Amino acid sequence: MLNFINAKLKNRILRLYLKGRSPDPIVQKNLLALHHLRIFQPALSYSYVVVDLETTGLDIKTDRAISIGAFRIRDGRVRLGDMFNRLINPERNIPPESIRIHGIVPDMIKDASTAAEAIDDFLGYLGEDILIAHHAAFDLHFLNRMMADRHGFNLQNLVIDTLPLCSRILFPQPYAMLSRPAKVNTGHYISPARQQTYLSLDSIAGLFGIKVWRRHTAVGDALATAMIFQRILSKMEKAGKGKLIHLINSGAI
Amino acid sequence: MDDYPLPRILNFLKKVVPFNMLESDVLQHIVSRTEIAFYPRGEKIIRMGDNASPNLFIIQTGAARVSITDETGSEILIDIRGEGDLFGGFSVLRGAEALFNVSAEEDLIVFLISIDEIKALIKANPKIKQYFDTTLVRNIKAVRKSADHQASLFTRDNQLDIDMFLTGKRVSELMTANVLTCLPGKTVQQAARDMLDRRVGSIVVVDENGTVVGIVTDADLSSKILADGRSIQTPVHEIMSAPVSSISSQAYTFDALLDMSRHDLSQLVVIDDGQLAGIISERDFQIEIGSSPLGIINDIDKSQSIKEVVDLRSNVDRILEMAMRRSGEVRPMVALFAELNERVARRFVHIVEAEMIADGLGGPPAPYCWMAMGSEGRLEQTLFTDQDNALIYEDVPNKDNDEVQQWFLQMAERVVGALEQYGIPRCSGGIMASNPKWCLRLSDWEETFLGWIRNPTPTALRMATIFFDFRGINGAYDGAIRLRQSLIDMTKRRKHFFRVLAQNALYNRPPLGFLRQFVVEKTGEHKNKLNLKMNGLAPIVDAARVLALEQGLAVTNTMERLEALTDRGVINRELLSEIDDAYDFINFIRISHHLKFQAQGHLMTNFLDPALLNNIQRKWLKESFAIVSKLQDFLSVRYQVKFLKEA
């Protein structure tokens, strides 16, 4: 809860700071992304955007996003037609070891959007929806970098991380049902979300019989995350924790 | 980037009927309009009677339970749907209200497509239209195929019996093709006489070309002739109703019912290509629905000859089949089987007794009672059953016994013969009242039983398992009841006997292996099949018998025994309800299997190839067998006996 109040506070300061300038409408809308949230409203009544990013690597300082994939959830349902899928030209080399993960080769991003175009498009898609990601800090970092480079401040949306939600809501007994962590092969590139093998997308999705149609593409992972988040919403509602505040308390970053 | 998740979903839809008939670009559009929903196990998705669902659901993972709620508010299972199956499709067909309850049997991931989207599809694709047009029929076929049951739906205010709707029959299957007709010039008097002769409630008026011009019903006669005081010499065309309400013979009976109900008609004329094809009336529906097993019971009880009863057999079968399709549960149906068989046997005994007198052989020389044995004694027999009966009569002095027994044997032979004619084969083991060994006076029965109890040889035990479930089914003579009491007294504190009986009950183990896979027959005619009776039901029946005898219970029905045992605290309620489910399920699979075999003209057996079951049925069957094992474990501990052979 505190971080939500904190975020609202920061948002207000930011808006005060930006007062007098006239940012473009998309940005203006993002600035008001927390406005419509009422913490005692049912979480199911809000619209969510579940996002996943592929990046050139693990280093949050030097690496860049190369694709954004997202699906929208409304009324607890994933809308397949309402998808965001964008390749981004990172304007630097894509390390071969990361290609092995996401399968995006330099040829494919020759004509891809710039980071600035991509983030503007994404802002338009995102609107004031609540942002969801698995191990959200990682994805948010890269989104915020693009955002800051382009508009000078971070995304203002409420962000919920499914990773703590999985451990708190879906598996309250710590990992008892999940398989032991696979041995990490240091020769491979492994994103932080995947390093947490206990609660990796793969193991959770596998456990629920969620078919991951295409792993390690941004949209494929976003869909898997969306379907996991669906379960979380359903389970929280069943447990009488169906209000937005419960979601914020358990998963906001 | 052709590897979005969407093409994978498209590929999934490509395997789902009827979407498999669509071109890729159409499917692509459909996918873009699809939503994914998740329902946790137990969640209700559609409620019967609510507004029809605005979506068609396609199951991606998990299972959905389709059911209805009957008038008493209890839930009747219709079908379990699994991966790739649809639900909510009925609303495509007929909007208004949901006809079924649907809930998540397991955690459920479904694709949702809006009905509007489907309707647009239907408009553009005749094949899809055809699919949804026949949804009902296929649904029912699927239900039958999966050996699941369906039930009479409900009779609502508008008197629609959705059972007919469900069975998806065509008018041609139900109509009367031989229609009473007359020319328009015929007098009302003649028409009325024809109707009376044929015992029908209507006459169709046709012109010289065979074209239907009107109809006269008995209601017309009473309102237009009697009430209006017209002459009975009036030509029928003056009083007939015209034009007639008609329907095609290829229409669904449901639509016929709907029309009749909407326009408050008691019959519809069936017309194909302008020609009269038949007539369908409320009565046809009543007969088809088989609404009155009571009627047939009445017919049996009124029969005056063996032939009359034998002739009723096909009606009985029809009622049983209807009952199987209609009643959601096994037990009422088995009870109906038992009730009808018992009535038949009782009637035969009655008729034969009269015949004996008529043939100059005299009446019964002593009070007697016909006894049902084995499954019949337990009220558990099914279609696939043979005779197990015996006869008990009052003690007579030794010097008279031979003569008395002769009379009863002669009578029993006739009854057994009649039952055989009726379609219940003779017992291959000779356990029939016509066998001198099983046509005894009370004291001889007691002696026989005592012999088995004192010396429980394998043969004696086998007999005990059949005979100890005896039940008198006719007459005022209380011999069977007294014999039951003697048996209870005889077995009191016979610990050794119970141990042997318990050991015997553990002989047949449920066919589950160490890893809970099915253990099928390894060799012989029934290779790779399961014996549902021997390895599924018999262990429950045997266990219940041992425990009931030990507790001195007089009831013979297995579930009644188990319930009484629960009341006495011998077994706990949790185990009871588990066994209850297991017993019903195994029996259900067995009976539906019998009916299927019978319908296909095969010999009925208790052997089942598990490959014929769907996933969920296999899972349930395994669960059921596991519960049977649990009961056997309980028996093994209670009587401190070991299993004789491992499964």
Short mmCIF file of all heavy atoms in Angstrom, two decimals, chain A residues 71 74 76-83 85 87 108 208-211 213-214 217 219-220 223 227 230-231 234 238, chain B residues 1 3-6 8-9 12 31-40 43 55 60-61 83 107 109 111-112:
data_model
loop_
_atom_site.label_atom_id
_atom_site.label_comp_id
_atom_site.label_asym_id
_atom_site.label_seq_id
_atom_site.Cartn_x
_atom_site.Cartn_y
_atom_site.Cartn_z
N PHE A 71 -0.49 -8.47 -24.10
CA PHE A 71 -1.91 -8.75 -24.30
C PHE A 71 -2.72 -7.99 -23.26
O PHE A 71 -2.24 -7.73 -22.17
CB PHE A 71 -2.19 -10.25 -24.11
CG PHE A 71 -1.83 -11.07 -25.31
CD1 PHE A 71 -0.60 -11.71 -25.38
CD2 PHE A 71 -2.70 -11.19 -26.37
CE1 PHE A 71 -0.25 -12.45 -26.48
CE2 PHE A 71 -2.37 -11.95 -27.48
CZ PHE A 71 -1.14 -12.58 -27.54
N ARG A 74 -9.29 -7.94 -19.95
CA ARG A 74 -10.42 -7.13 -19.49
C ARG A 74 -11.49 -8.10 -18.99
O ARG A 74 -11.70 -9.15 -19.59
CB ARG A 74 -10.94 -6.27 -20.65
CG ARG A 74 -11.77 -5.10 -20.19
CD ARG A 74 -11.96 -4.10 -21.31
NE ARG A 74 -10.82 -3.17 -21.44
CZ ARG A 74 -10.65 -2.33 -22.46
NH1 ARG A 74 -11.54 -2.31 -23.43
NH2 ARG A 74 -9.62 -1.52 -22.52
N GLY A 76 -11.26 -10.03 -16.73
CA GLY A 76 -10.62 -11.31 -16.41
C GLY A 76 -10.33 -12.18 -17.61
O GLY A 76 -9.94 -13.32 -17.47
N ARG A 77 -10.55 -11.64 -18.80
CA ARG A 77 -10.33 -12.44 -20.00
C ARG A 77 -9.21 -11.87 -20.86
O ARG A 77 -9.15 -10.65 -21.07
CB ARG A 77 -11.61 -12.50 -20.84
CG ARG A 77 -12.69 -13.27 -20.15
CD ARG A 77 -13.95 -13.18 -20.95
NE ARG A 77 -15.05 -13.80 -20.21
CZ ARG A 77 -16.31 -13.63 -20.54
NH1 ARG A 77 -16.63 -12.89 -21.57
NH2 ARG A 77 -17.25 -14.23 -19.85
N VAL A 78 -8.39 -12.77 -21.38
CA VAL A 78 -7.31 -12.34 -22.26
C VAL A 78 -7.88 -12.14 -23.65
O VAL A 78 -8.50 -13.05 -24.21
CB VAL A 78 -6.20 -13.41 -22.32
CG1 VAL A 78 -5.03 -12.88 -23.13
CG2 VAL A 78 -5.78 -13.83 -20.93
N ARG A 79 -7.66 -10.97 -24.19
CA ARG A 79 -8.22 -10.69 -25.52
C ARG A 79 -7.15 -10.89 -26.58
O ARG A 79 -6.21 -10.11 -26.69
CB ARG A 79 -8.77 -9.27 -25.55
CG ARG A 79 -9.86 -9.08 -24.51
CD ARG A 79 -9.95 -7.64 -24.08
NE ARG A 79 -10.49 -6.80 -25.14
CZ ARG A 79 -11.74 -6.36 -25.17
NH1 ARG A 79 -12.56 -6.68 -24.19
NH2 ARG A 79 -12.16 -5.61 -26.14
N LEU A 80 -7.33 -11.98 -27.31
CA LEU A 80 -6.28 -12.37 -28.26
C LEU A 80 -6.10 -11.36 -29.38
O LEU A 80 -5.01 -11.18 -29.90
CB LEU A 80 -6.59 -13.74 -28.85
CG LEU A 80 -6.45 -14.90 -27.88
CD1 LEU A 80 -6.80 -16.21 -28.57
CD2 LEU A 80 -5.04 -14.96 -27.34
N GLY A 81 -7.18 -10.68 -29.75
CA GLY A 81 -7.07 -9.72 -30.85
C GLY A 81 -6.44 -8.41 -30.41
O GLY A 81 -6.02 -7.61 -31.23
N ASP A 82 -6.36 -8.21 -29.12
CA ASP A 82 -5.87 -6.94 -28.58
C ASP A 82 -4.42 -7.13 -28.14
O ASP A 82 -4.10 -7.09 -26.97
CB ASP A 82 -6.76 -6.54 -27.40
CG ASP A 82 -6.66 -5.06 -27.12
OD1 ASP A 82 -5.83 -4.39 -27.75
OD2 ASP A 82 -7.41 -4.58 -26.24
N MET A 83 -3.56 -7.36 -29.12
CA MET A 83 -2.18 -7.75 -28.83
C MET A 83 -1.25 -6.63 -29.23
O MET A 83 -1.50 -5.89 -30.17
CB MET A 83 -1.88 -9.01 -29.64
CG MET A 83 -0.48 -9.53 -29.52
SD MET A 83 -0.28 -11.00 -30.57
CE MET A 83 -0.20 -10.26 -32.18
N ASN A 85 2.72 -6.15 -30.38
CA ASN A 85 3.88 -6.94 -30.76
C ASN A 85 4.80 -6.07 -31.58
O ASN A 85 4.46 -5.68 -32.69
CB ASN A 85 3.42 -8.17 -31.56
CG ASN A 85 4.57 -9.09 -31.87
OD1 ASN A 85 5.59 -9.08 -31.16
ND2 ASN A 85 4.44 -9.87 -32.92
N LEU A 87 8.95 -5.19 -32.72
CA LEU A 87 10.41 -5.36 -32.69
C LEU A 87 11.05 -3.98 -32.59
O LEU A 87 10.54 -3.01 -33.17
CB LEU A 87 10.89 -6.05 -33.97
CG LEU A 87 10.73 -7.57 -34.03
CD1 LEU A 87 11.28 -8.06 -35.36
CD2 LEU A 87 11.45 -8.23 -32.88
N MET A 108 16.39 -9.20 -38.85
CA MET A 108 14.97 -8.97 -38.55
C MET A 108 14.71 -7.57 -38.01
O MET A 108 13.59 -7.07 -38.11
CB MET A 108 14.47 -10.00 -37.52
CG MET A 108 14.44 -11.42 -38.08
SD MET A 108 14.36 -12.66 -36.77
CE MET A 108 12.74 -12.37 -36.11
N PHE A 208 0.35 -25.62 -14.57
CA PHE A 208 -1.08 -25.35 -14.77
C PHE A 208 -1.58 -25.86 -16.11
O PHE A 208 -2.71 -25.62 -16.49
CB PHE A 208 -1.35 -23.86 -14.68
CG PHE A 208 -1.20 -23.33 -13.30
CD1 PHE A 208 -0.54 -22.14 -13.06
CD2 PHE A 208 -1.72 -24.03 -12.22
CE1 PHE A 208 -0.40 -21.65 -11.78
CE2 PHE A 208 -1.58 -23.54 -10.94
CZ PHE A 208 -0.92 -22.35 -10.72
N GLY A 209 -0.71 -26.54 -16.83
CA GLY A 209 -1.15 -27.02 -18.14
C GLY A 209 -1.41 -25.87 -19.09
O GLY A 209 -2.16 -26.01 -20.04
N ILE A 210 -0.79 -24.73 -18.82
CA ILE A 210 -0.92 -23.62 -19.77
C ILE A 210 0.04 -23.89 -20.91
O ILE A 210 1.24 -24.03 -20.70
CB ILE A 210 -0.56 -22.27 -19.09
CG1 ILE A 210 -1.62 -21.93 -18.06
CG2 ILE A 210 -0.40 -21.17 -20.13
CD1 ILE A 210 -1.30 -20.71 -17.24
N LYS A 211 -0.52 -24.03 -22.06
CA LYS A 211 0.33 -24.32 -23.20
C LYS A 211 1.04 -23.04 -23.59
O LYS A 211 0.41 -22.03 -23.88
CB LYS A 211 -0.51 -24.84 -24.36
CG LYS A 211 -1.07 -26.21 -24.07
CD LYS A 211 -1.46 -26.90 -25.35
CE LYS A 211 -1.89 -28.33 -25.07
NZ LYS A 211 -3.20 -28.39 -24.38
N TRP A 213 2.61 -21.33 -26.25
CA TRP A 213 2.65 -21.60 -27.68
C TRP A 213 3.99 -21.24 -28.31
O TRP A 213 4.41 -21.81 -29.26
CB TRP A 213 1.49 -20.89 -28.35
CG TRP A 213 0.24 -21.66 -28.19
CD1 TRP A 213 -0.12 -22.77 -28.89
CD2 TRP A 213 -0.80 -21.44 -27.26
NE1 TRP A 213 -1.32 -23.23 -28.45
CE2 TRP A 213 -1.78 -22.43 -27.46
CE3 TRP A 213 -1.02 -20.48 -26.27
CZ2 TRP A 213 -2.94 -22.52 -26.71
CZ3 TRP A 213 -2.17 -20.56 -25.54
CH2 TRP A 213 -3.12 -21.57 -25.75
N ARG A 214 4.57 -20.22 -27.75
CA ARG A 214 5.86 -19.86 -28.29
C ARG A 214 6.65 -19.25 -27.15
O ARG A 214 6.43 -18.10 -26.78
CB ARG A 214 5.70 -18.88 -29.45
CG ARG A 214 7.00 -18.41 -30.04
CD ARG A 214 7.69 -19.50 -30.84
NE ARG A 214 8.90 -18.94 -31.42
CZ ARG A 214 10.11 -19.49 -31.25
NH1 ARG A 214 10.24 -20.58 -30.53
NH2 ARG A 214 11.17 -18.93 -31.81
N THR A 217 9.45 -15.68 -26.98
CA THR A 217 9.15 -14.51 -27.78
C THR A 217 8.41 -13.64 -26.80
O THR A 217 7.79 -14.13 -25.86
CB THR A 217 8.23 -14.80 -28.97
OG1 THR A 217 6.99 -15.28 -28.48
CG2 THR A 217 8.85 -15.80 -29.92
N VAL A 219 5.66 -11.91 -27.14
CA VAL A 219 4.22 -12.13 -27.09
C VAL A 219 3.88 -13.48 -26.47
O VAL A 219 2.92 -13.61 -25.72
CB VAL A 219 3.53 -12.03 -28.46
CG1 VAL A 219 3.10 -10.61 -28.73
CG2 VAL A 219 4.38 -12.59 -29.55
N GLY A 220 4.68 -14.51 -26.80
CA GLY A 220 4.44 -15.85 -26.25
C GLY A 220 4.52 -15.82 -24.74
O GLY A 220 3.64 -16.34 -24.04
N LEU A 223 1.65 -13.89 -23.20
CA LEU A 223 0.39 -14.65 -23.14
C LEU A 223 0.42 -15.63 -21.96
O LEU A 223 -0.55 -15.75 -21.21
CB LEU A 223 0.15 -15.41 -24.45
CG LEU A 223 -1.15 -16.20 -24.52
CD1 LEU A 223 -2.35 -15.29 -24.29
CD2 LEU A 223 -1.30 -16.91 -25.85
N MET A 227 -2.10 -15.60 -18.77
CA MET A 227 -2.94 -16.71 -18.33
C MET A 227 -2.66 -17.09 -16.87
O MET A 227 -3.55 -17.55 -16.17
CB MET A 227 -2.76 -17.90 -19.28
CG MET A 227 -3.39 -17.61 -20.65
SD MET A 227 -2.98 -18.82 -21.92
CE MET A 227 -4.04 -20.18 -21.44
N GLN A 230 -4.43 -14.41 -14.85
CA GLN A 230 -5.86 -14.74 -14.83
C GLN A 230 -6.19 -15.63 -13.62
O GLN A 230 -7.16 -15.43 -12.92
CB GLN A 230 -6.14 -15.53 -16.10
CG GLN A 230 -7.33 -15.14 -16.85
CD GLN A 230 -7.43 -15.88 -18.18
OE1 GLN A 230 -6.67 -16.79 -18.49
NE2 GLN A 230 -8.38 -15.47 -18.97
N ARG A 231 -5.37 -16.63 -13.44
CA ARG A 231 -5.57 -17.54 -12.31
C ARG A 231 -5.42 -16.84 -10.98
O ARG A 231 -6.15 -17.09 -10.04
CB ARG A 231 -4.53 -18.67 -12.35
CG ARG A 231 -4.95 -19.77 -13.23
CD ARG A 231 -3.90 -20.83 -13.31
NE ARG A 231 -4.22 -21.61 -14.49
CZ ARG A 231 -4.70 -22.85 -14.45
NH1 ARG A 231 -4.84 -23.46 -13.31
NH2 ARG A 231 -5.02 -23.48 -15.55
N SER A 234 -8.48 -14.87 -10.30
CA SER A 234 -9.57 -15.76 -9.94
C SER A 234 -9.40 -16.28 -8.52
O SER A 234 -10.33 -16.32 -7.73
CB SER A 234 -9.63 -16.90 -10.95
OG SER A 234 -10.22 -18.02 -10.40
N LYS A 238 -11.75 -15.58 -5.20
CA LYS A 238 -12.33 -16.71 -4.46
C LYS A 238 -11.99 -16.62 -2.98
O LYS A 238 -12.77 -17.01 -2.13
CB LYS A 238 -11.80 -18.04 -5.02
CG LYS A 238 -12.58 -18.56 -6.20
CD LYS A 238 -13.38 -19.80 -5.78
CE LYS A 238 -14.74 -19.84 -6.42
NZ LYS A 238 -14.77 -19.52 -7.84
N MET B 1 8.52 -13.20 -38.17
CA MET B 1 7.75 -13.30 -36.93
C MET B 1 6.43 -14.03 -37.17
O MET B 1 5.37 -13.55 -36.82
CB MET B 1 7.47 -11.90 -36.37
CG MET B 1 8.65 -11.29 -35.64
SD MET B 1 9.15 -12.21 -34.19
CE MET B 1 7.96 -11.64 -32.99
N ASP B 3 5.84 -16.67 -35.80
CA ASP B 3 5.67 -17.55 -34.65
C ASP B 3 4.99 -16.89 -33.46
O ASP B 3 5.30 -17.14 -32.33
CB ASP B 3 7.03 -18.12 -34.22
CG ASP B 3 7.19 -19.53 -34.75
OD1 ASP B 3 6.16 -20.20 -34.94
OD2 ASP B 3 8.32 -19.94 -34.95
N TYR B 4 4.08 -16.05 -33.73
CA TYR B 4 3.25 -15.51 -32.64
C TYR B 4 2.58 -16.68 -31.95
O TYR B 4 2.44 -17.75 -32.53
CB TYR B 4 2.10 -14.66 -33.17
CG TYR B 4 2.45 -13.48 -34.00
CD1 TYR B 4 1.47 -12.86 -34.74
CD2 TYR B 4 3.74 -12.99 -34.05
CE1 TYR B 4 1.76 -11.76 -35.51
CE2 TYR B 4 4.03 -11.90 -34.82
CZ TYR B 4 3.04 -11.28 -35.56
OH TYR B 4 3.31 -10.20 -36.32
N PRO B 5 2.02 -16.45 -30.82
CA PRO B 5 1.22 -17.52 -30.26
C PRO B 5 -0.06 -17.73 -31.07
O PRO B 5 -0.63 -18.79 -31.07
CB PRO B 5 0.89 -17.05 -28.85
CG PRO B 5 1.31 -15.65 -28.76
CD PRO B 5 2.16 -15.31 -29.91
N LEU B 6 -0.47 -16.70 -31.79
CA LEU B 6 -1.77 -16.82 -32.46
C LEU B 6 -1.86 -17.95 -33.47
O LEU B 6 -2.84 -18.68 -33.50
CB LEU B 6 -2.16 -15.48 -33.08
CG LEU B 6 -2.27 -14.31 -32.09
CD1 LEU B 6 -2.96 -13.12 -32.74
CD2 LEU B 6 -3.01 -14.72 -30.84
N ARG B 8 -0.51 -20.69 -33.32
CA ARG B 8 -0.66 -21.94 -32.56
C ARG B 8 -2.11 -22.13 -32.14
O ARG B 8 -2.63 -23.23 -32.14
CB ARG B 8 0.22 -21.94 -31.31
CG ARG B 8 1.68 -21.62 -31.60
CD ARG B 8 2.32 -22.75 -32.37
NE ARG B 8 3.61 -22.35 -32.86
CZ ARG B 8 4.73 -23.04 -32.66
NH1 ARG B 8 4.67 -24.18 -31.98
NH2 ARG B 8 5.86 -22.61 -33.12
N ILE B 9 -2.71 -21.03 -31.76
CA ILE B 9 -4.12 -21.11 -31.36
C ILE B 9 -4.97 -21.44 -32.59
O ILE B 9 -5.91 -22.23 -32.53
CB ILE B 9 -4.56 -19.79 -30.70
CG1 ILE B 9 -3.82 -19.64 -29.38
CG2 ILE B 9 -6.07 -19.76 -30.48
CD1 ILE B 9 -3.93 -18.30 -28.73
N PHE B 12 -4.79 -24.99 -33.14
CA PHE B 12 -5.65 -25.69 -32.20
C PHE B 12 -7.09 -25.69 -32.70
O PHE B 12 -7.76 -26.72 -32.75
CB PHE B 12 -5.55 -25.03 -30.82
CG PHE B 12 -6.49 -25.59 -29.80
CD1 PHE B 12 -6.16 -26.73 -29.08
CD2 PHE B 12 -7.73 -25.00 -29.56
CE1 PHE B 12 -7.03 -27.27 -28.15
CE2 PHE B 12 -8.61 -25.53 -28.63
CZ PHE B 12 -8.25 -26.66 -27.93
N VAL B 31 -9.73 -16.01 -34.54
CA VAL B 31 -8.75 -15.97 -33.45
C VAL B 31 -8.62 -14.56 -32.92
O VAL B 31 -8.55 -14.33 -31.70
CB VAL B 31 -7.39 -16.52 -33.91
CG1 VAL B 31 -6.32 -16.24 -32.87
CG2 VAL B 31 -7.48 -18.00 -34.20
N SER B 32 -8.63 -13.57 -33.84
CA SER B 32 -8.45 -12.21 -33.38
C SER B 32 -9.64 -11.73 -32.56
O SER B 32 -9.56 -10.72 -31.88
CB SER B 32 -8.23 -11.29 -34.58
OG SER B 32 -9.46 -11.08 -35.25
N ARG B 33 -10.76 -12.46 -32.64
CA ARG B 33 -11.92 -12.09 -31.84
C ARG B 33 -12.10 -12.99 -30.61
O ARG B 33 -13.10 -12.92 -29.92
CB ARG B 33 -13.20 -12.18 -32.68
CG ARG B 33 -13.22 -11.25 -33.88
CD ARG B 33 -13.02 -9.81 -33.41
NE ARG B 33 -12.83 -8.90 -34.52
CZ ARG B 33 -13.81 -8.22 -35.09
NH1 ARG B 33 -15.02 -8.36 -34.67
NH2 ARG B 33 -13.54 -7.40 -36.07
N THR B 34 -11.12 -13.85 -30.41
CA THR B 34 -11.25 -14.82 -29.34
C THR B 34 -10.70 -14.26 -28.03
O THR B 34 -9.76 -13.47 -28.03
CB THR B 34 -10.48 -16.10 -29.72
OG1 THR B 34 -11.05 -16.64 -30.90
CG2 THR B 34 -10.55 -17.15 -28.62
N GLU B 35 -11.33 -14.68 -26.94
CA GLU B 35 -10.79 -14.34 -25.63
C GLU B 35 -10.47 -15.62 -24.88
O GLU B 35 -11.09 -16.65 -25.12
CB GLU B 35 -11.81 -13.52 -24.82
CG GLU B 35 -12.12 -12.18 -25.46
CD GLU B 35 -13.05 -11.33 -24.61
OE1 GLU B 35 -13.44 -11.77 -23.51
OE2 GLU B 35 -13.38 -10.23 -25.06
N ILE B 36 -9.54 -15.53 -23.95
CA ILE B 36 -9.22 -16.70 -23.13
C ILE B 36 -9.76 -16.44 -21.72
O ILE B 36 -9.56 -15.36 -21.17
CB ILE B 36 -7.70 -16.95 -23.04
CG1 ILE B 36 -7.12 -17.12 -24.44
CG2 ILE B 36 -7.42 -18.18 -22.19
CD1 ILE B 36 -5.62 -17.33 -24.43
N ALA B 37 -10.46 -17.41 -21.19
CA ALA B 37 -10.95 -17.26 -19.82
C ALA B 37 -10.48 -18.44 -18.99
O ALA B 37 -10.20 -19.52 -19.51
CB ALA B 37 -12.47 -17.17 -19.79
N PHE B 38 -10.38 -18.20 -17.72
CA PHE B 38 -10.00 -19.27 -16.80
C PHE B 38 -11.10 -19.43 -15.77
O PHE B 38 -11.61 -18.45 -15.24
CB PHE B 38 -8.68 -18.93 -16.11
CG PHE B 38 -8.39 -19.82 -14.93
CD1 PHE B 38 -7.95 -21.12 -15.14
CD2 PHE B 38 -8.60 -19.38 -13.62
CE1 PHE B 38 -7.71 -21.95 -14.07
CE2 PHE B 38 -8.36 -20.22 -12.55
CZ PHE B 38 -7.91 -21.51 -12.77
N TYR B 39 -11.49 -20.70 -15.52
CA TYR B 39 -12.45 -20.96 -14.46
C TYR B 39 -11.88 -22.02 -13.52
O TYR B 39 -11.52 -23.11 -13.97
CB TYR B 39 -13.77 -21.46 -15.04
CG TYR B 39 -14.45 -20.46 -15.93
CD1 TYR B 39 -14.35 -20.56 -17.31
CD2 TYR B 39 -15.17 -19.41 -15.39
CE1 TYR B 39 -14.96 -19.63 -18.15
CE2 TYR B 39 -15.79 -18.48 -16.21
CZ TYR B 39 -15.69 -18.59 -17.58
OH TYR B 39 -16.28 -17.67 -18.39
N PRO B 40 -11.77 -21.71 -12.24
CA PRO B 40 -11.23 -22.71 -11.31
C PRO B 40 -12.24 -23.84 -11.12
O PRO B 40 -13.44 -23.66 -11.35
CB PRO B 40 -11.03 -21.94 -10.02
CG PRO B 40 -11.98 -20.79 -10.09
CD PRO B 40 -12.14 -20.47 -11.55
N GLU B 43 -16.25 -23.84 -10.34
CA GLU B 43 -16.92 -22.57 -10.69
C GLU B 43 -18.07 -22.82 -11.66
O GLU B 43 -17.93 -23.55 -12.63
CB GLU B 43 -15.90 -21.63 -11.32
CG GLU B 43 -16.51 -20.31 -11.76
CD GLU B 43 -15.82 -19.12 -11.14
OE1 GLU B 43 -15.32 -19.27 -9.99
OE2 GLU B 43 -15.75 -18.06 -11.78
N ASN B 55 -21.58 -16.26 -25.38
CA ASN B 55 -20.36 -16.79 -26.00
C ASN B 55 -20.47 -18.28 -26.26
O ASN B 55 -21.17 -19.01 -25.56
CB ASN B 55 -19.16 -16.58 -25.07
CG ASN B 55 -18.85 -15.13 -24.86
OD1 ASN B 55 -18.49 -14.43 -25.78
ND2 ASN B 55 -19.06 -14.66 -23.63
N GLN B 60 -9.87 -25.52 -23.95
CA GLN B 60 -8.48 -25.70 -24.34
C GLN B 60 -7.80 -26.68 -23.40
O GLN B 60 -7.08 -27.57 -23.82
CB GLN B 60 -7.75 -24.36 -24.34
CG GLN B 60 -6.41 -24.43 -25.03
CD GLN B 60 -5.27 -24.16 -24.09
OE1 GLN B 60 -5.27 -23.17 -23.36
NE2 GLN B 60 -4.29 -25.04 -24.08
N THR B 61 -8.03 -26.53 -22.10
CA THR B 61 -7.48 -27.45 -21.13
C THR B 61 -8.51 -27.64 -20.02
O THR B 61 -9.19 -26.69 -19.65
CB THR B 61 -6.19 -26.89 -20.48
OG1 THR B 61 -5.31 -26.50 -21.52
CG2 THR B 61 -5.50 -27.93 -19.63
N GLU B 83 -10.96 -31.49 -23.63
CA GLU B 83 -10.18 -30.67 -24.53
C GLU B 83 -10.72 -30.73 -25.96
O GLU B 83 -10.95 -31.80 -26.50
CB GLU B 83 -8.74 -31.17 -24.50
CG GLU B 83 -7.74 -30.14 -24.94
CD GLU B 83 -6.32 -30.63 -24.66
OE1 GLU B 83 -6.01 -30.92 -23.49
OE2 GLU B 83 -5.56 -30.73 -25.63
N ASP B 107 -9.92 -27.45 -13.32
CA ASP B 107 -9.51 -26.11 -13.73
C ASP B 107 -9.63 -26.03 -15.24
O ASP B 107 -9.20 -26.93 -15.95
CB ASP B 107 -8.06 -25.84 -13.32
CG ASP B 107 -7.96 -25.48 -11.85
OD1 ASP B 107 -9.02 -25.36 -11.20
OD2 ASP B 107 -6.84 -25.33 -11.35
N ILE B 109 -9.41 -23.91 -18.89
CA ILE B 109 -9.02 -22.78 -19.75
C ILE B 109 -9.87 -22.89 -21.01
O ILE B 109 -9.87 -23.93 -21.66
CB ILE B 109 -7.53 -22.82 -20.11
CG1 ILE B 109 -6.67 -22.76 -18.84
CG2 ILE B 109 -7.17 -21.66 -21.04
CD1 ILE B 109 -5.19 -22.97 -19.08
N PHE B 111 -11.49 -20.97 -24.67
CA PHE B 111 -11.54 -19.89 -25.64
C PHE B 111 -12.99 -19.46 -25.77
O PHE B 111 -13.88 -20.30 -25.90
CB PHE B 111 -11.04 -20.37 -27.01
CG PHE B 111 -9.58 -20.71 -27.02
CD1 PHE B 111 -9.11 -21.86 -27.62
CD2 PHE B 111 -8.66 -19.86 -26.42
CE1 PHE B 111 -7.76 -22.16 -27.64
CE2 PHE B 111 -7.31 -20.15 -26.43
CZ PHE B 111 -6.85 -21.30 -27.04
N LEU B 112 -13.21 -18.17 -25.77
CA LEU B 112 -14.57 -17.65 -25.90
C LEU B 112 -14.72 -16.96 -27.25
O LEU B 112 -13.87 -16.13 -27.61
CB LEU B 112 -14.85 -16.62 -24.81
CG LEU B 112 -15.32 -17.10 -23.46
CD1 LEU B 112 -14.18 -17.73 -22.72
CD2 LEU B 112 -15.88 -15.94 -22.68
#
